[in-house]
Amino acid sequence: MYILDPILSILIALLVAVGAWRIIKETYVVLMEGTPAGIEFKEVETAIKSISDVKDIHDLHIWSLTSNKKRHEQSY
């Protein structure tokens, strides 16, 4: 009977740790201005090059500013 309490405490601690790890990982990407998940450079480059006045792209930067918004900057 008394073994259930420590087992549940460990399970709850693991659940909290997993949730905290996800938040820490997402925060790290934002703070380091990392590339957001799901963004493909080739797709962005192709979309920009499809604009009639764009001849070429020499430098493309894509980074996270927040966890739910994305920004891109290009030099052409």
Side-chain angles (χ1 to χ4, degrees), residues 2-72:
Y2 295 109
I3 192 74
L4 187 60
D5 188 36
I7 292 172
L8 287 176
S9 295
I10 290 171
L11 288 175
I12 291 171
L14 288 173
L15 180 67
V16 169
V18 168
W21 178 250
R22 288 180 187 157
I23 292 171
I24 289 169
K25 192 167 69 169
E26 186 175 306
T27 301
Y28 178 78
V29 170
V30 171
L31 290 175
M32 298 306 293
E33 294 182 346
T35 303
I39 299 293
E40 296 293 330
F41 278 95
K42 284 292 181 190
E43 289 179 19
V44 174
E45 184 178 10
T46 303
I48 294 172
K49 284 183 176 180
S50 70
I51 300 171
S52 62
D53 291 333
V54 176
K55 294 178 183 174
D56 196 14
I57 299 174
H58 353 235
D59 197 14
L60 178 64
H61 299 272
I62 303 173
W63 63 89
S64 296
L65 294 178
T66 67
S67 59
N68 59 0
K69 294 182 182 178
K70 297 173 180 92
R71 173 184 165 88
H72 68 273

